[in-house]
């Protein structure tokens, strides 16, 4: 495997993994993580103020960790908003929105609905082990759409999906037959959001997560339990989920999704 080095002032890899935007990683110890995406793999070790990233695809993981994005410029724009300024890092950015595969994110966030992170990770791990191509002796790729679409609903129930089993199977069949997930890349965000919500198991919040973490459309604002608490803190009032989303989008603009991750991370107290 090849290696590259990232300074923690440019990217805190572990914080970026632990903030709820991805589920295909394993914490081996406090200084060592494994990360998977599609059929790619990386081993990440923290040494002092740097992360050593060993991988089978350097170019892929350089982009996966959004190192091709100018976060100084993005954060400077966000810092001009007094509502969020105190919740952003004082200088260099440490948390970045990962650039993940949109199809993998569609399935991952259908699985995530009304679920907790350890359980989501466990289900996705079982899914990959059972249906994904082998990357290495104990490493598996995310399954292809045709393989996902060819399963029976009972299989998905057997790995813990419960009522989500029918959603995942229906969506796999749509993606295999008549839903072009890649066309959403070129759509404006609201149109892409409406298209995603035609898929089984994709409501407004799941659609926003897919758009943010799979398509890197930053002008979305997923609202969950933690963000509802943030809203009350910042706006000193209650509101509907749609009302909260609209207020956040109005205040944070084209980088609202990045603001959301900092607000979420700060409120949840992820370590």
């Amino acid at each position: 495997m090849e290696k590259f080095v990232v300074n923690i002032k440019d990217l805190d890899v572990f914080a970026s993994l632990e903030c709820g935007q991805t589920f295909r990683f394993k914490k081996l110890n406090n200084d060592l993580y494994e990360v998977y995406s599609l059929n790619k793999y990386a081993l990440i070790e923290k040494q002092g103020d740097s992360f050593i990233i060993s991988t089978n695809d350097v170019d892929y993981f350089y982009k996966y960790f959004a190192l091709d994005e100018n976060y100084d410029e993005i954060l400077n724009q966000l810092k001009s908003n007094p509502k969020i300024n105190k919740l952003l890092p004082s200088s260099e950015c440490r948390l970045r929105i990962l650039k993940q595969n949109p199809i993998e994110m569609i399935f991952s966030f259908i699985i995530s609905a009304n679920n907790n992170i350890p359980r989501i990770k466990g289900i996705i791990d079982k899914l990959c082990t059972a249906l994904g191509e082998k990357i290495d002796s104990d490493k598996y790729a995310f399954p292809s759409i045709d393989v996902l679409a060819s399963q029976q609903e009972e299989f998905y129930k057997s790995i813990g999906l419960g009522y989500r089993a029918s959603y995942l199977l229906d969506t796999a069949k749509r993606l295999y037959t008549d839903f072009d997930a890649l066309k959403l890349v070129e759509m404006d965000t609201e149109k892409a959001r409406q298209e995603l919500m035609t898929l089984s198991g994709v409501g407004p919040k799941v659609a926003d997560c897919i758009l943010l973490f799979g398509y890197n459309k930053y002008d979305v604002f997923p609202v969950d339990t933690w963000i509802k608490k943030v809203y009350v803190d910042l706006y000193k009032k209650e509101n509907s989920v749609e009302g909260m989303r609209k207020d956040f989008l109005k205040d944070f603009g084209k980088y609202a999704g990045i603001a959301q991750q900092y607000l979420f991370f700060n409120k949840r107290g992820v370590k």
Side-chain angles (χ1 to χ4, degrees):
M1 291 199 295
E2 296 182 88
K3 298 182 180 181
F4 67 100
V5 180
V6 181
N7 192 288
I8 195 171
K9 291 181 178 179
D10 296 320
L11 166 69
D12 187 329
V13 175
F14 298 167
S16 298
L17 295 173
E18 295 278 10
C19 65
Q21 60 176 317
T22 187
F23 308 110
R24 291 187 66 203
F25 68 91
K26 295 179 182 178
K27 181 179 180 179
L28 304 181
N29 61 50
N30 287 337
D31 295 317
L32 194 65
Y33 278 60
E34 288 181 333
V35 181
Y36 305 85
S37 180
L38 293 180
N39 62 345
K40 315 294 185 184
Y41 164 78
L43 183 69
I44 301 160
E45 183 175 12
K46 187 174 183 294
Q47 294 183 3
D49 292 332
S50 296
F51 292 96
I52 313 299
I53 301 175
S54 304
T55 175
N56 61 350
D57 195 327
V58 168
D59 289 343
Y60 183 87
F61 277 101
Y62 187 86
K63 292 178 181 177
Y64 175 91
F65 286 116
L67 292 166
D68 57 339
E69 292 268 14
N70 185 346
Y71 263 63
D72 288 338
E73 178 182 331
I74 293 169
L75 286 172
N76 284 337
Q77 288 198 39
L78 289 175
K79 285 177 183 177
S80 65
N81 187 320
K83 281 191 174 74
I84 196 175
N85 182 49
K86 63 183 178 181
L87 301 177
L88 291 173
S90 58
S91 53
E92 295 87 352
C93 172
R94 295 189 175 192
L95 173 65
R96 291 174 182 246
I97 301 291
L98 304 175
K99 293 188 174 182
Q100 302 178 81
N101 177 265
I103 291 171
E104 187 171 330
M105 291 300 96
I106 289 171
F107 292 113
S108 294
F109 280 96
I110 288 173
I111 293 168
S112 79
N114 299 311
N115 219 336
N116 61 66
I117 289 176
R119 193 162 181 273
I120 299 163
K121 290 175 66 178
I123 292 170
I124 293 174
D125 187 56
K126 289 176 185 176
L127 191 71
C128 294
T129 301
L131 303 179
E133 292 186 3
K134 187 175 284 190
I135 302 173
D136 205 339
S137 58
D138 60 346
K139 301 173 180 63
Y140 296 86
F142 196 84
S144 61
I145 296 171
D146 60 325
V147 170
L148 290 167
S150 67
Q151 304 307 305
Q152 298 298 313
E153 188 176 323
E154 286 307 311
F155 164 74
Y156 293 118
K157 289 182 178 178
S158 75
I159 62 171
L161 274 161
Y163 70 88
R164 305 170 197 83
S166 63
Y167 297 158
L168 193 141
L169 182 56
D170 288 348
T171 291
K173 290 177 178 178
R174 284 281 315 278
L175 290 172
Y176 186 61
T177 56
D178 66 355
F179 189 96
D180 182 2
L182 296 182
K183 71 181 180 182
L184 274 63
V185 173
E186 303 303 325
M187 287 183 185
D188 70 73
T189 300
E190 189 53 37
K191 182 166 177 53
R193 190 171 188 259
Q194 294 304 317
E195 286 287 320
L196 281 171
M197 287 194 293
T198 68
L199 297 173
S200 294
V202 179
K205 190 251 182 175
V206 167
D208 283 345
C209 288
I210 294 166
L211 289 169
L212 181 56
F213 305 129
Y215 290 92
N216 292 125
K217 291 185 181 291
Y218 298 141
D219 54 335
V220 298
F221 206 100
V223 175
D224 67 356
T225 301
W226 295 101
I227 292 298
K228 289 176 184 176
K229 295 176 181 178
V230 169
Y231 183 87
V232 173
D233 289 346
L234 293 182
Y235 294 90
K236 310 302 180 188
K237 65 178 182 179
E238 302 282 347
N239 206 338
S240 66
V241 170
E242 187 61 20
M244 286 186 272
R245 191 178 78 89
K246 287 180 178 178
D247 281 346
F248 280 128
L249 287 172
K250 180 181 177 181
D251 275 351
F252 301 131
K254 66 179 182 178
Y255 295 127
I258 295 175
Q260 190 266 5
Q261 278 295 276
Y262 280 102
L263 291 168
F264 173 87
F265 189 80
N266 181 74
K267 189 65 178 177
R268 187 166 169 245
V270 180
K271 300 297 181 185

